[in-house]
Amino acid sequence: MSLSLFSRVFLLIGLLSTISFSHKLYAASFELPIESVATLIGRGIYVTGTVTSGSVNDGDSAQVITKSGAVLDVTIIGLERPRELLTYAEKGDSIGVILKGATVEVVSRGDTLVIAQSDQRKTQ
């Protein structure tokens, strides 16, 4: 029994809708799962976490991938450890990151900070 072209396309669409795309496919190099979020009045928001892959520089464009899959464009305006300002962080570093372009109401624990795709080409 042969399926019509319409039936084949419909079947393919059904199969594709069951695939779950991870943000790990979306952003390859830098990744920081967000552990906590706070507001720094007049500066932006402050997120903490441990870098699980890649590296990041102060001033990089970045994106927050929320648990719901939304993508927020942000700018990293500060990196730090307790009592130490950083210009660079890499895998294994537990850091605080000051972000411009997002609010505490939108970003929460469990979201992920990644380098924006246009900046990935510069760091690779």
Side-chain angles (χ1 to χ4, degrees), residues 27-49:
S29 61
F30 170 75
E31 187 172 308
L32 177 113
I34 296 173
E35 296 170 5
S36 66
V37 183
T39 300
L40 294 177
I41 297 172
R43 294 201 61 202
I45 64 170
Y46 185 78
V47 300
T48 63

Side-chain angles (χ1 to χ4, degrees), residues 16-123:
L16 289 175
S17 66
T18 63
I19 298 173
S20 173
F21 293 99
S22 169
H23 65 272
K24 291 181 183 186
L25 296 174
Y26 180 74
S29 61
F30 170 75
E31 187 172 308
L32 177 113
I34 296 173
E35 296 170 5
S36 66
V37 183
T39 300
L40 294 177
I41 297 172
R43 294 201 61 202
I45 64 170
Y46 185 78
V47 300
T48 63
T50 301
V51 180
T52 56
S53 66
S55 62
V56 64
N57 295 304
D58 191 8
D60 281 351
S61 294
Q63 294 172 325
V64 174
I65 311 292
T66 66
K67 291 176 282 201
S68 65
V71 178
L72 309 169
D73 292 324
V74 295
T75 302
I76 296 172
I77 60 171
L79 297 169
E80 58 184 50
R81 278 187 231 160
R83 296 176 296 282
E84 181 181 6
L85 296 177
L86 304 171
T87 58
Y88 173 84
E90 61 188 355
K91 182 178 178 179
D93 290 344
S94 292
I95 59 171
V97 182
I98 303 170
L99 301 174
K100 185 172 93 175
T103 62
V104 166
E105 293 80 25
V106 179
V107 179
S108 63
R109 177 182 173 93
D111 294 346
T112 305
L113 180 66
V114 298
I115 291 180
Q117 287 199 350
S118 61
D119 277 3
Q120 283 184 21
R121 288 186 216 104
K122 294 179 199 171
T123 59

